[in-house]
Every structure is written in C-alpha cells, then in structure tokens.
Amino acid sequence: MPPRPLEVGPAGMQAARTIEILRTERGLSQRQLADRVTAFGRPMSNTMLSRIERAQRRCDADDLVAIADALLVSPLVLLQGPTAT
C-alpha cells in the first residue's frame, strides 16, 4: 500500500495564507519569490510555491525558513500571521 500523503494542518494553513499575503503586499509574483528563495539556497519553483500557498503541498521547516528569509520576516511571522510583525 502506498503511503498516504500528509494533510496540511492548521499551522500549515496559516503559513500558506501569510506567505501569499506578504508576497502580494511586497508586490512580488510567485516566480519572483521562488527565485529569491532559490537564491537563499533552497531551490524552489513557482509551481512549488503556488502549491504551498494553496495548501496543496506541505511547507517543511527548511522551506519555511527560506521563504521567511526571502520575505524579510521571522519564520514565526509565517506561522502566526502577518499581524505578528
């Protein structure tokens, strides 16, 4: 039996929403943010980022840290929401 994909939990859903909010507030396209994340050493395509934002792909700790760095916020902000800044 193939392994069942892990569902995105509440913290992942919050991070997904926050990533999209902060990205759009900064005027970045998904491709631009994915390029920034890649520049921080975590290869990411705009498709991967899109799936994270739509909560169709889990955002692991390494993704979370790289995305936060690219958005110039703490990873905690992504987990707690944009009002945590």
Side-chain angles (χ1 to χ4, degrees):
M1 176 184 343
R4 173 173 74 96
L6 298 173
E7 293 181 19
V8 176
M13 296 295 284
Q14 179 64 55
R17 283 191 296 270
T18 304
I19 291 165
E20 182 178 17
I21 289 167
L22 294 177
R23 177 182 60 76
T24 56
E25 282 180 354
R26 286 159 173 72
L28 297 170
S29 69
Q30 288 177 337
R31 180 172 305 281
Q32 289 170 318
L33 180 55
D35 288 346
R36 283 187 178 192
V37 172
T38 299
F40 278 99
R42 183 72 177 170
M44 182 171 289
S45 69
N46 61 310
T47 301
M48 290 169 63
L49 182 61
S50 174
R51 288 181 180 152
I52 289 171
E53 286 185 357
R54 291 181 287 147
Q56 293 178 339
R57 179 182 187 276
R58 292 177 61 86
C59 183
D60 71 16
D62 293 327
D63 292 335
L64 188 78
V65 170
I67 292 169
D69 285 345
L71 289 170
L72 305 175
V73 297
S74 162
L76 188 59
V77 171
L78 299 183
L79 295 171
Q80 292 182 334
T83 57
T85 55

